[in-house]
Amino acid sequence: MSNAMDIPIETGLDPVDRRIVAATQAGLPLVARPYHAIAEELGLSPADVMHRMQRLLDAGAIRRIGAVPNHYALGWTANGMSVWDVPDEHVAEAGQMVGALEFVSHCYRRPRHLPDWPYNLFAMVHGRDREEVADKLTRIAAVLGNWDCGHDVLFSSKILKKTGLRIAG
Amino acid sequence: MDSRDKELINALHGGVPIEERPYAAIAERLAMTEEEVIGRLQTLLDDRTLTRLGPLYDAARLGGAFTLAAMAVPEDRFEEVAEIVNSFPEIAHNYAREHSLNMWFVVGAERPERIAEVLSQIKDRTGLEVLNMPKEEEYFLELRLTA
């Protein structure tokens, strides 16, 4: 497997967990009893698979078991990385507020690099076109009020590499 | 994609349950049959409306270290620098963005020290500054599909 990452056991995943992660990276089987199918593939009991996956879910290693929509197929072709300069003492609260907006898919605090890069809050915004993204930025700015000490949006113009992160089984 | 597909996708925001017949559990909530749920999901995956259905793993919590890095690359060196950056297996994603910082990439490695090594090697091999912007905090909410 190219670009595989060997995950050390001391991070909390035992070898059986790792096999389950590797077996489900491509997805959950679309059959009536998907956890039984995984169990059969790995030679485990269904109860063990479900118990381990529940534990990974409870620990946050699995965020949730769900669907990933294809933004492009849904017509969400404008993806802007919006970046905000928010006073440090308010950034945690600001992040919660911005992250809760339904059109923000990811919201992170990252370090500034002064003087060139004053921004410390990143929010990924999706829209059907750039105008829609711009409207959404206006809404973020309204939420932030005078905590918005400056912002910008960076549209991606080209994907140069996208291999993703893979975990070795 | 019809209105029932949208209902189904919205229902998945609550997560696929971990139980013997999870699609039957979702079907019950939507007054569909288990077969219909599985069939519709298969079609949505086949036509690429959904890119994936399954556990969404938090890579950082599975172990390993990650960062986002950015560079201001002169236009006439863009291809050359992209080739150098992409040559590292630790680079998972690399995007051109419209800004003076015009190259943004994600670095993932098993050992945290490796992140600093990769960034330093990129700096040495390109002669360009690499800004390291690791995630300090995450304010996470799933993207909702209300198409």
Side-chain angles (χ1 to χ4, degrees):
Chain A
M1 200 183 298
S2 68
N3 204 37
M5 298 201 331
D6 265 315
I7 303 303
I9 289 162
E10 58 268 24
T11 56
L13 288 189
D14 71 19
V16 177
D17 292 333
R18 287 179 49 171
R19 290 172 62 214
I20 293 173
V21 172
T24 55
Q25 276 184 133
L28 191 70
L30 257 178
V31 295
R33 291 177 177 77
Y35 303 105
H36 289 55
I38 296 163
E40 192 171 335
E41 185 189 329
L42 300 177
L44 302 169
S45 76
D48 192 22
V49 168
M50 288 192 274
H51 172 75
R52 285 170 178 276
M53 290 186 72
Q54 187 64 55
R55 189 164 45 74
L56 293 172
L57 190 63
D58 293 342
I62 296 176
R63 291 181 187 282
R64 66 184 182 88
I65 302 173
V68 180
N70 177 353
H71 299 137
Y72 286 91
L74 296 168
W76 296 64
T77 54
N79 301 301
M81 182 173 77
S82 74
V83 292
W84 305 79
D85 176 7
V86 174
D88 288 333
E89 63 270 31
H90 298 304
V91 70
E93 198 182 336
Q96 298 289 351
M97 287 155 56
V98 173
L101 295 169
E102 78 281 0
F103 52 83
V104 172
S105 63
H106 299 89
C107 187
Y108 301 112
R109 179 184 185 178
R110 297 185 186 278
R112 296 186 175 91
H113 288 270
L114 297 171
D116 300 331
W117 188 258
Y119 309 110
N120 58 341
L121 189 67
F122 286 54
M124 293 301 303
V125 175
H126 304 268
R128 289 172 184 81
D129 52 39
R130 290 188 180 201
E131 199 177 328
E132 189 174 320
V133 171
D135 287 347
K136 289 171 174 175
L137 295 190
T138 307
R139 287 175 56 192
I140 295 178
V143 163
L144 291 176
N146 59 12
W147 292 352
D148 172 16
C149 301
H151 66 263
D152 200 350
V153 61
L154 285 72
F155 289 101
S156 62
S157 52
K158 195 178 177 190
I159 298 173
L160 304 169
K161 184 176 185 181
K162 191 167 189 174
T163 50
L165 298 158
R166 307 291 297 178
I167 288 133
Chain B
M1 186 166 67
D2 63 21
S3 63
R4 293 293 270 163
D5 288 329
K6 286 181 194 171
E7 282 176 44
L8 175 55
I9 291 171
N10 286 330
L12 290 175
H13 289 135
V16 178
I18 299 177
E19 56 183 84
E20 184 174 346
R21 295 176 68 174
Y23 304 116
I26 293 165
E28 196 174 355
R29 297 212 299 268
L30 297 170
M32 288 184 190
T33 64
E34 182 184 37
E35 294 71 28
E36 186 180 1
V37 166
I38 290 173
R40 283 180 181 271
L41 289 174
Q42 190 62 62
T43 303
L44 291 168
L45 286 165
D46 289 345
D47 70 16
R48 305 282 301 150
T49 304
L50 299 178
T51 56
R52 197 171 167 283
L53 175 78
L56 308 179
Y57 288 102
D58 181 332
R61 291 202 190 181
L62 294 177
F66 302 88
T67 200
L68 176 70
M71 297 172 77
V73 182
E75 218 43 65
D76 59 346
R77 292 191 57 199
F78 200 81
E79 296 295 321
E80 172 216 336
V81 171
E83 204 166 303
I84 292 171
V85 170
N86 292 350
S87 72
F88 288 86
E90 289 86 357
I91 307 301
H93 305 143
N94 186 4
Y95 288 90
R97 292 192 179 275
E98 297 167 14
H99 191 269
S100 55
L101 287 170
N102 53 359
M103 193 178 288
W104 291 76
F105 48 91
V106 173
V107 190
E110 190 183 328
R111 294 176 298 113
E113 318 85 82
R114 182 64 190 147
I115 300 283
E117 286 169 18
V118 168
L119 296 184
S120 157
Q121 285 168 17
I122 290 172
K123 182 182 173 183
D124 289 347
R125 287 178 57 185
T126 62
L128 298 171
E129 276 307 316
V130 181
L131 300 189
N132 187 13
M133 302 199 195
K135 174 172 79 182
E136 295 177 324
E137 203 168 344
E138 177 169 7
Y139 313 99
F140 183 80
L141 207 86
E142 200 63 44
L143 181 72
R144 293 202 191 90
L145 179 80
T146 47

